[in-house]
Structure formats: structure tokens, C-alpha cells
């Protein structure tokens, strides 16, 4: 998913892995009498304005946080990020692991009272794969038999492996066994939509009156560039566990203003803490740091569209030696120590830290592709070999970023580091929604990028760089890489599967269409009286079990 010291824990923190979420400030009464004495309302500043709240089109973390609290999938994720029953009360899996039969709970309803049917899932999954929908997440449903063929115009919807056999039964057939398929069904792009509502109004996702959902909260107000208001959904199957009456999600992009509002009590939770305040806030407990399975990186436009942006820059950046020189000129340790200052870890590969393989070791132990501190002399040597000694003959390169969350400070640091090898970069800032569109359309030379895991497996970081993926912002196209990813998805032996994924990352990092910078941690402001919220390692806060206790 695209990206922007705990005082009390009532769950065990991730010991050496990121396979567990964290529950914040859980009280012993689990939201009982004391919670009832407090006003059950939380105001949470998400920062950036979501590009869309349509599950088929939403790709950014702000939008998916809204969706994660307003919708519910066949499965939900527990504290270990493993699938547990959600809208499906149970499922059967065939011996060959290719067919999943989901049995929906009885009498499920949408927030408007319409019945939730298995056909709503079939409709939405096929809608997402429909090439006319132009979903960037279509590739995430290529696991379905016939899914890729339909999305590429080589098949039809009827051949896609998802079928509602009655109102409460959904039969799903996969192309190949997928060890994390159940976890995928808990992601926003696998959420259902109310077919009747969607087909009756093409702008349904822009209006709270038609933004019908099936999760713990319903959307009662949506003001673009300002806020989304969620209220308890009385039609939710598990409504008795929902303690909050209202969840106000604000979109104040300027983090200094948001932090001031948090400190004054106007916000109960803020998604980011200004870099200048991080260390002090962690020390005094006004902010807390959480594990985050995510990687911050730069995308280099190596697609055919790069020539239309600037043919000179496109020619330069098409040379792997230039790309590697840019990579080696960056001192990541300096960036995390002096710029971000929130416990981030310098990256040495694209797959995030915290995924434990079949051998019991972190996947990243085998992926140190370069010294995170950089190597200026080697960078200069590579530039000279590419025909640009000390940067002579190089055009000024354009580095694109969005200003939210202090990205400009990081880009400034990179700009200064590149100057040391003779590379001049011009910084260009675009507001979040515009930036996302520019990046997807590949109208850039170099751009800030980042990826939060959708599930705890290396594949979530790797398959987006296949040539068929709409999340492939850099436009990387290597048939050998594509073949390795396809092979890994079909491999049943866990260790062999991880070995193939390592080979794929070896190839990606040798070609270097992306420059990994650091592995995220997540620092947020969250008041001590906010209890029971689950902070996922995949950058989402779930408020289903949250409540307010002791707010003065």
C-alpha cells in the first residue's frame, strides 16, 4: 500500500519480527463501565486527503485506513496479522489448495439495511479486474483463476474463479496455491460493495449518502479536503464489540498545525509527528513508536514514457551505472540519524525487515546489496564509467515528492549528497493527490516512493515490480524478473519459494530501478485515554475495539 515508546501495552510486542500488531493502552475493563462514563468519540488526524474511498480504486494508506474501519472482508486480521473469520463464518479449502468455499454469516447487512450477499463479493472482485475500472490493484486479484486474462482483455468475467452459488456461499478458484490468500481477503481491495448502490450512481464513492459500507462504522459525512465522519454501524454483525459512537477522521496536511492541535487537545490521535518534535515526544510519552513493515525508496522512471518527460534525463537514467551511482552517493545512516530521527533503519534492499522465513531467519539477512552508509568514491567511479566524470555532461535531474510528513527534508538531504558526486537535482513538490497521479502516469524522472506491506510475506514488496503491475511506478520491465515472480507464486515448497524470491530481488537490485532508503518505523501521537486501538504493522489503525477511558 502506498505511503504518509509505548507507555502501556496489553499485547506482547513484536520480538524480532513484525508479525504482530499492537494494542494501544488497553484497560483491564476492556471498555466496560469506565468507558461508558466517557464520551465515546475520537478525533484522528490522518493528514493527507484520500484520493478516493472506492475500494477498487483506493491505493493510499489514508484512504485504506478509512476503508478498514468502515468495511469488512471475508476475513479479518488478528494481532498476529493472520486471517480469522470476518464476514465469512468459516471456509473450506480443497486438498490441492486451489478452491476456497466461503460461508457467509447469516443476515449480514449493509449500513443502509440492504442484505450483504455473496454476489456482492463476486461483483466487486470482477469489477476490480474489469480493465475499464483501471484499478491499480488489479494485479492483486491475478491469484484468481482467469483473473489476469480478464484484466488484460484476453478472457471474460464469466471465466474468473469467483462464483456466488447462493446468497451465503462464495466459491473461489485460484490459479495456483497461495499461502497468504486468506490474509488477502482482509485487504481493502477484496472488500465487497453494495452492487445495487454502485450501479445506480457512478459517483457513489464521493457522497456519504451513497458510501454504503458493511464494517464496524458507517460513513455519515464526507467533506473532501476536510474530514470523514464515521459512526457506529448498528447493522454490523459484531456491533456489540464496538464501543465508539463516533470517529472523526481529519485531513490536516500541515503536520506542525496538526501537532499543535493534538497538544491542545483538539485531536486525540495524529498520524505524524513533526521531525523536530519526535525525540522529545517519544521521551515524554506524547508520541509512541510502532513497528511498521514498510520500505521508503525512490522510484527511477525507466519506462518508455520517461522520454516524453525529458529525453536527456531519460537517456541518462536508462544506464544502470548512473542509477547505481545515485544509490551509492546516499548516506542512509545520516538521513535516519539527522533528518528523520524516529528510529528508522537504513535500508539495504527493497523488502522490509521483519518477515521470518522457513529457516527461522529474517528475510533481509540475505539482502545486503550495498553499504547503507554509501560509497562516494565508488559512485564517482561508476559515473565516470558511464561517461560522466564528476557529473560532467549530466542534465539537471528532477526529484519529485509530496510535502506532507516532512518528505522535503529528506529530499533536500539527498540533493546535497548527490552534489558530492557532481549530480545536480531540482526538487519539485506536488500535493498528495496530484503527486499520486503524476507518479502512476509516470510523468516524472525520479520520485519519492514507499510501500507498506499488504500481508506479511516478501511477495508484497516484489510482485508490484512485475511489468504487468499498475503499482510499478518506475516502469521496470524485465521478462526474467517476471518469470521468477511467477515461479515463486507457483512454488509449494516454502524454502524453495523464499529462495526464488531472493533471486528476484537480486535481479531487481542489480538493475536498480528503485533506490531503497530506509525501513520505516511508525511514530504517532495517541493520547493515553485512547484504549484498545490496534496499530497494525501494515500502517493501519483499527478502531473496532477502541474506546475512551479517563479523558478529562
Amino acid at each position: 500500500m502506498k505511503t504518509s515508546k509505548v507507555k502501556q501495552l496489553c499485547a506482547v510486542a513484536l520480538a524480532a519480527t513484525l508479525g504482530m500488531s499492537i494494542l494501544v493502552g488497553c484497560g483491564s475493563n476492556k471498555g466496560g463501565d469506565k468507558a461508558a462514563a466517557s464520551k465515546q468519540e475520537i478525533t484522528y488526524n490522518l493528514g493527507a486527503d484520500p484520493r478516493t474511498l472506492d475500494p477498487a480504486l483506493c491505493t493510499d494508506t489514508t484512504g485504506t485506513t478509512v476503508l478498514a474501519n468502515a468495511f469488512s472482508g471475508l476475513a479479518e486480521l488478528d494481532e498476529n496479522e493472520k486471517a480469522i473469520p470476518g464476514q465469512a463464518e468459516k471456509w473450506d479449502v480443497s486438498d490441492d489448495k486451489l478452491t476456497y468455499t466461503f460461508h457467509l454469516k447469516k443476515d449480514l447487512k449493509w449500513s443502509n439495511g440492504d442484505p450483504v450477499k455473496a454476489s456482492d463479493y463476486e461483483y466487486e472482485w470482477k469489477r476490480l479486474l474489469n480493465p475499464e475500472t483501471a484499478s491499480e490493484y488489479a494485479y492483486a486479484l491475478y491469484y484468481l483463476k482467469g483473473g489476469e486474462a480478464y484484466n488484460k482483455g484476453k478472457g471474460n468475467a464469466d471465466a474468473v474463479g469467483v462464483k456466488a452459488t447462493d446468497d451465503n456461499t462464495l466459491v473461489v478458484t485460484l490459479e495456483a496455491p497461495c499461502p497468504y490468500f486468506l490474509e488477502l481477503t482482509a485487504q481493502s481491495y477484496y472488500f465487497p460493495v453494495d452492487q445495487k448502490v454502485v450501479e445506480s450512481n457512478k459517483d457513489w464513492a464521493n457522497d456519504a449518502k451513497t458510501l454504503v459500507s458493511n464494517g464496524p462504522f458507517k460513513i455519515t459525512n464526507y467533506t473532501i479536503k476536510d474530514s470523514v465522519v464515521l459512526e457506529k454501524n448498528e447493522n454490523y454483525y459484531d456491533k456489540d464489540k464496538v464501543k465508539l459512537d463516533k470517529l472523526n477522521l481529519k485531513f490536516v496536511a500541515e503536520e506542525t498545525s496538526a501537532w499543535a492541535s493534538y497538544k491542545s487537545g483538539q485531536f486525540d490521535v495524529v498520524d505524524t509527528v513533526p521531525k523536530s518534535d519526535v525525540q522529545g515526544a517519544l521521551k515524554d510519552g506524547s508520541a509512541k513508536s510502532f513497528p511498521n513493515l514498510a520500505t521508503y525508496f525512490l522510484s527511477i522512471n525507466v519506462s518508455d514514457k520517461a522520454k516524453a518527460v525529458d529525453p536527456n534525463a531519460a537517456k541518462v537514467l536508462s544506464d544502470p551505472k548512473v542509477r547505481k551511482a545515485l544509490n551509492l552517493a546516499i548516506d542512509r545512516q545520516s538521513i535516519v540519524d539527522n533528518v528523520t530521527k524516529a528510529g528508522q533503519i537504513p535500508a539495504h534492499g527493497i523488502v522490509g525487515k521483519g518477515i521470518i522465513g522457513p529457516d527461522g531467519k529474517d528475510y533481509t539477512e540475505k539482502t545486503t546489496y550495498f553499504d547503507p552508509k554509501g560509497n562516494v568514491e565508488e559512485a564517482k567511479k561508476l559515473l565516470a564509467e558511464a561517461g560522466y566524470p564528476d557529473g560532467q555532461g549530466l542534465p539537471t535531474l528532477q526529484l519529485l515528492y509530496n510535502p506532507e510528513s516532512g518528505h522535503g527534508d529528506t529530499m533536500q538531504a539527498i540533493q546535497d549528497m548527490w552534489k558530492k558526486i557532481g549530480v545536480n537535482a531540482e526538487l519539485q513538490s506536488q500535493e498528495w493527490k496530484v503527486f499520486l497521479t503524476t507518479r502512476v502516469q509516470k510523468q516524472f524522472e525520479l520520485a519519492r516512493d514507499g510501500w507498506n506491506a499488504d500481508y506479511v510475506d516478501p511477495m508484497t514488496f516484489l510482485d508490484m515490480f512485475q511489468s504487468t503491475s499498475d503499482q510499478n511506478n518506475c516502469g521496470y520491465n524485465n521478462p526474467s524478473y517476471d518469470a521468477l515472480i511467477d515461479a515463486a507464486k507457483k512454488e509449494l515448497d516454502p524454502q524453495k519459494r523464499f529462495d526464488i524470491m531472493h533471486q528476484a530481488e537480486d535481479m531487481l537490485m542489480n538493475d536498480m530501478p528503485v533506490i531503497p532508503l530506509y525501513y520505516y518505523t511508525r511514530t504517532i501521537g495517541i493520547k493515553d485515554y485512547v484504549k484498545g486501538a490496534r496499530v497494525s504493522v501494515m500502517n493501519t489503525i483499527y478502531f473496532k475495539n477502541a474506546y475512551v477511558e479517563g479523558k478529562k
Side-chain angles (χ1 to χ4, degrees):
M1 195 67 62
K2 293 176 182 175
T3 62
S4 88
K5 179 175 177 180
V6 181
K7 192 169 184 180
Q8 288 184 325
L9 298 179
C10 56
V12 179
L14 272 66
T17 78
L18 292 176
M20 180 183 290
S21 299
I22 294 179
L23 300 182
V24 180
C26 291
S28 60
N29 69 330
K30 301 294 184 183
D33 295 339
K34 291 183 179 179
S38 300
K39 183 178 181 181
Q40 293 306 305
E41 181 174 335
I42 289 175
T43 299
Y44 170 23
N45 185 53
L46 275 171
D49 186 20
R51 185 169 61 169
T52 178
L53 293 180
D54 182 340
L57 300 175
C58 180
T59 60
D60 57 294
T61 56
T62 53
T64 54
T65 294
V66 178
L67 296 178
N69 287 284
F71 285 78
S72 179
L74 294 168
E76 296 178 358
L77 299 177
D78 65 10
E79 292 86 353
N80 296 302
E81 308 295 356
K82 296 298 182 182
I84 56 175
Q87 296 268 294
E89 64 179 1
K90 63 178 181 178
W91 46 75
D92 307 313
V93 184
S94 62
D95 291 341
D96 61 6
K97 311 295 185 187
L98 292 177
T99 303
Y100 289 71
T101 303
F102 294 92
H103 305 277
L104 272 63
K105 292 179 169 70
K106 306 297 183 184
D107 301 320
L108 294 172
K109 292 182 180 181
W110 290 100
S111 55
N112 65 354
D114 288 348
V116 176
K117 301 177 181 179
S119 58
D120 288 326
Y121 283 90
E122 179 183 355
Y123 168 76
E124 174 63 357
W125 293 8
K126 290 180 177 179
R127 172 176 170 261
L128 189 147
L129 285 167
N130 187 332
E132 294 182 1
T133 304
S135 171
E136 293 174 42
Y137 260 121
Y139 78 98
L141 273 76
Y142 286 1
Y143 295 97
L144 305 185
K145 187 175 181 63
E148 182 175 6
Y150 175 44
N151 183 246
K152 291 183 175 180
K154 299 178 181 179
N156 58 68
D158 291 340
V160 176
V162 54
K163 181 67 177 176
T165 56
D166 59 46
D167 286 350
N168 295 297
T169 308
L170 189 73
V171 179
V172 180
T173 306
L174 305 184
E175 287 280 5
C178 175
Y180 45 84
F181 180 69
L182 289 173
E183 283 71 35
L184 284 174
T185 68
Q187 301 304 317
S188 60
Y189 39 85
Y190 275 84
F191 288 162
V193 294
D194 188 337
Q195 181 176 356
K196 182 180 73 175
V197 171
V198 174
E199 291 189 335
S200 65
N201 185 349
K202 65 178 183 179
D203 293 320
W204 69 278
N206 296 323
D207 189 340
K209 295 178 181 178
T210 50
L211 258 168
V212 176
S213 64
N214 66 330
F217 300 95
K218 60 184 178 182
I219 298 171
T220 58
N221 187 275
Y222 180 24
T223 304
I224 293 174
K225 296 198 175 199
D226 180 67
S227 64
V228 169
V229 177
L230 304 180
E231 296 184 17
K232 181 176 179 178
N233 180 9
E234 294 296 339
N235 286 325
Y236 180 53
Y237 78 90
D238 211 11
K239 64 180 180 181
D240 291 342
K241 291 184 179 178
V242 181
K243 304 300 179 184
L244 289 180
D245 295 319
K246 184 180 289 187
L247 181 60
N248 302 302
L249 301 175
K250 302 290 289 183
F251 307 140
V252 178
E254 211 292 301
E255 61 184 27
T256 302
S257 296
W259 182 246
S261 295
Y262 171 76
K263 296 288 282 184
S264 67
Q266 296 177 57
F267 294 154
D268 305 304
V269 185
V270 290
D271 213 45
T272 57
V273 180
K275 290 181 173 65
S276 58
D277 293 287
V278 167
Q279 293 181 327
L282 289 172
K283 186 176 181 179
D284 67 24
S286 56
K288 300 172 177 63
S289 182
F290 300 92
N292 188 192
L293 182 51
T295 304
Y296 188 104
F297 58 93
L298 300 181
S299 280
I300 304 173
N301 191 349
V302 294
S303 73
D304 292 337
K305 295 181 179 180
K307 295 179 182 178
V309 180
D310 185 326
N312 293 325
K315 178 182 177 181
V316 167
L317 294 174
S318 68
D319 189 334
K321 289 186 177 180
V322 173
R323 301 197 295 268
K324 291 177 180 180
L326 295 175
N327 174 67
L328 287 175
I330 298 173
D331 183 346
R332 294 151 179 81
Q333 191 66 55
S334 176
I335 289 175
V336 301
D337 288 345
N338 302 311
V339 182
T340 60
K341 301 180 183 180
Q344 293 90 345
I345 301 170
H348 45 75
I350 198 66
V351 175
K353 290 182 71 69
I355 303 173
I356 304 303
D359 58 0
K361 298 179 180 179
D362 192 295
Y363 174 93
T364 61
E365 288 190 18
K366 297 181 179 179
T367 59
T368 302
Y369 295 102
F370 48 83
D371 185 346
K373 293 183 179 181
N375 188 327
V376 171
E377 292 308 312
E378 182 63 22
K380 288 182 176 180
K381 179 181 177 182
L382 286 168
L383 269 189
E385 291 176 359
Y388 309 103
D390 297 319
Q392 296 175 28
L394 284 176
T396 297
L397 302 177
Q398 191 176 84
L399 178 56
L400 183 68
Y401 69 97
N402 60 301
E404 298 86 359
S405 302
H407 295 305
D409 294 336
T410 301
M411 297 305 107
Q412 178 68 59
I414 292 171
Q415 180 188 46
D416 292 341
M417 292 172 184
W418 283 347
K419 286 181 180 178
K420 295 178 181 179
I421 63 170
V423 175
N424 292 314
E426 176 185 288
L427 302 185
Q428 180 182 4
S429 173
Q430 289 184 346
E431 180 265 341
W432 179 238
K433 282 187 177 182
V434 178
F435 172 72
L436 287 178
T437 300
T438 302
R439 205 168 57 181
V440 168
Q441 294 179 347
K442 299 176 176 57
Q443 300 298 308
F444 69 92
E445 296 172 18
L446 300 112
R448 184 204 75 79
D449 217 326
W451 191 255
N452 283 275
D454 287 331
Y455 45 92
V456 184
D457 189 273
M459 188 59 74
T460 188
F461 291 95
L462 297 173
D463 67 352
M464 67 175 171
F465 295 110
Q466 282 191 292
S467 60
T468 54
S469 170
D470 286 329
Q471 301 283 14
N472 183 0
N473 293 329
C474 57
Y476 181 57
N477 187 345
N478 185 331
S480 297
Y481 182 84
D482 290 351
L484 283 171
I485 296 300
D486 288 340
K489 288 183 175 180
K490 295 175 182 177
E491 179 57 58
L492 299 181
D493 182 274
Q495 189 57 58
K496 288 182 180 178
R497 181 173 164 274
F498 264 61
D499 290 343
I500 295 172
M501 287 190 286
H502 275 299
Q503 292 175 42
E505 189 175 6
D506 291 347
M507 188 174 296
L508 183 71
M509 288 293 94
N510 182 62
D511 292 341
M512 198 148 280
V514 291
I515 297 176
L517 296 176
Y518 58 75
Y519 306 122
Y520 280 92
T521 55
R522 189 176 185 198
T523 302
I524 61 176
I526 186 162
K527 301 289 188 180
D528 289 337
Y529 53 72
V530 175
K531 311 290 185 181
R534 184 169 76 83
V535 182
S536 166
V537 299
M538 292 177 291
N539 207 32
T540 299
I541 303 181
Y542 295 90
F543 290 92
K544 172 181 175 178
N545 297 314
Y547 58 95
V548 177
E549 179 184 291
K551 182 177 181 179
K552 297 179 180 179

